[in-house]
Every structure is written in C-alpha cells, then in structure tokens.
Amino acid sequence: MTREALREHMQLYFIMGSVNCKEDPVEVLRKAIAGGITCFQYREKGKGSLQGHARYELAQKLRQLCMDAGIPFIVNDDINLAIEVQADGIHVGQEDEPAFRVRERIGSSMILGVSAYNLEEAERAAQEGADYLGIGPIYPTGTKEDAKSASGTGVIRLIHQAGYGLPMVGIGGIHLSNAWEIIQAGADGVSVISAISHSADPQAAASALYTAVQESCAAQ
Ligand SMILES: Cc1ncsc1CCOP(=O)(O)O
Ligand SMILES: C=C1C=NC(C)=NC1=N
C-alpha cells in the first residue's frame, strides 16, 4: 500500500477488543464499518481479554469483515497473532518490541504502526521504519489504564511541523466534539475506541465522526 493510500485510511481508525464492547464485538465492528470507518485495529488487552483459541477465533472473524469491506485489519502488539491471521499490519507501543525488530520479523509487506507520545519517540519511530504514527493520549481517557497524562494537540502540531511525512492519527479521549482539533493540529485522522465501541449505535457514532473528520480535512 502506498503512503498516500495509507494516509487516506487513517481518517477514521477504529480500535477495539472484546473488553471494550458491551455487545458482540463482531456486531460492533459490522456496525462501525457500515458507519464508514476507514481502518480497524484489533486490540485485545486488559482485564478479561481473550487469550489462545478464543482470541484467534475472534481475530479471524474481525479480519474477514475488514477484508470484505476493503479496510486494513491491524493487530495490536501480538505479532504472532498478526502473522497467523495474515493481518494487513501490526501496531506496537513504546513498551513493546522495538519497531526495528518488529520490521525484521514482518518484512516490508505488512503495515507497521508505532505509538509516539512526544517528538523524540516520533523521530525514533520514523527512523526505525514506521509506516504511520499513533500520537497520544491527546485528551484524558479511561480506556487505557496505564495511559500517560494527556498531552493536548500541541504534540501533533510539533510532529507535523517536524515533517517526517508519515501518516499520523491522534488517539486518546477523542469524540465528536473534539475530533476537529486533531485534524486542525495536522493529523491525517482520528483513532477512537470508546466513542464507537461504547455507543448504543456504533454505526451512527462512526458516521458522525467520519463526517466531522471529512469536514475538518476540507477546512484545512
Ligand atoms: C490505546 C490508547 N493509547 C493511548 S490512549 C488509548 C485509549 C483510547 O481510547 P478512547 O478512544 O476510548 O479514549
Ligand atoms: C496505543 C495506540 C496508539 N495509536 C494507535 C493507532 N493504536 C494504538 N494502539
């Protein structure tokens, strides 16, 4: 996938695992896709997350939905699972395996996403061959227990101005009301968990977010 195609897919990047969903994760993803998400990450983490065969089974089902919809299916942290289900990509955080080692394992065909909290981490990720950056937490979030303190959109502006040219999304506490600020700061899109996964109507939530991002991009 070209960098520009990937940039397009970064517009509305939904992330979730069974822990983040009140109803069946497969149904939540189906509705989110119907609402217009442009990328999906399977992040099965935290208390009560699935392991072993159940984890693999769910990954396979979610991957099939993404394949049918033509959107990238990314796996968080679990490189073995990503390879096993032939995911389109893998996303790693700063406390996971170093990006350059992940790249060695997955080769150049898979998408490699890297989390960055500040300019220094973004710089290192760019040097180590990341295909896109996830910057955050931007706003306070209750979804990731060990999240660092919310940095605000300044760090997105800083990284955008550094001009690495990498597609990037903001993440952390992003909702309909603040999505425009992420784009205005220079990100190519927004990444959300609870704004969609906790919604009573994931399709409507995704659709409204997608429209907000589209309008913000047009205003840039
Ligand atoms: C995985 C992750 N990384 C930084 S914040 C976060 C959680 C984002 O969840 P939400 O969109 O519900 O705030
Ligand atoms: C922590 C994360 C930051 N950014 C993205 C896109 N995914 C993540 N899991």
Side-chain angles (χ1 to χ4, degrees):
M1 179 181 294
T2 65
R3 177 172 283 187
E4 286 322 304
L6 183 58
R7 198 182 299 280
E8 282 284 300
H9 281 291
M10 291 287 114
Q11 292 179 79
L12 181 54
Y13 186 167
F14 178 39
I15 300 179
M16 66 93 170
S18 62
V19 172
N20 310 111
C21 296
K22 295 184 172 116
E23 59 171 291
D24 174 8
V26 176
E27 282 317 302
V28 172
L29 180 57
R30 197 191 305 281
K31 290 170 182 174
I33 288 173
I37 61 168
T38 54
C39 190
F40 174 71
Q41 179 185 134
Y42 178 47
R43 178 175 178 276
E44 190 64 30
K45 248 184 156 176
K47 214 164 21 44
S49 56
L50 301 176
Q51 304 301 332
H53 192 66
R55 185 192 190 99
Y56 174 82
E57 283 284 289
L58 181 54
Q60 283 283 41
K61 287 178 188 163
L62 300 180
R63 180 188 173 284
Q64 190 58 53
L65 287 182
C66 292
M67 240 171 102
D68 297 347
I71 66 168
F73 175 76
I74 309 289
V75 171
N76 183 267
D77 289 358
D78 191 339
I79 302 175
N80 294 327
L81 180 64
I83 292 169
E84 246 179 302
V85 301
Q86 296 177 305
D88 297 299
I90 178 94
H91 186 95
V92 291
Q94 289 296 321
E95 59 281 347
D96 302 309
E97 211 164 333
F100 78 92
R101 211 175 289 294
V102 177
R103 179 56 84 193
E104 279 168 1
R105 280 197 61 190
I106 65 173
S108 57
S109 62
M110 272 175 81
I111 296 165
L112 173 59
V114 180
S115 302
Y117 181 69
N118 55 37
L119 186 60
E120 183 237 338
E121 290 181 357
E123 165 102 38
R124 189 169 351 104
Q127 282 164 356
E128 295 188 357
D131 293 310
Y132 74 80
L133 299 174
I135 317 288
I138 304 301
Y139 305 114
T141 175
T143 302
K144 178 178 163 81
E145 310 80 52
D146 59 341
K148 293 190 176 109
S149 59
S151 60
T153 56
V155 66
I156 293 176
R157 211 175 293 280
L158 214 56
I159 294 169
H160 185 245
Q161 281 159 0
Y164 305 123
L166 287 182
M168 64 177 173
V169 289
I171 185 169
I174 299 177
H175 292 83
L176 191 54
S177 56
N178 59 22
W180 67 275
E181 288 177 340
I182 303 293
I183 306 301
Q184 207 253 341
D188 299 291
V190 299
S191 194
V192 302
I193 299 183
S194 54
I196 294 176
S197 76
H198 287 176
S199 169
D201 185 346
Q203 179 171 344
S207 179
L209 270 165
Y210 182 69
T211 302
V213 168
Q214 286 277 318
E215 284 168 358
S216 311
C217 289
Q220 277 295 74

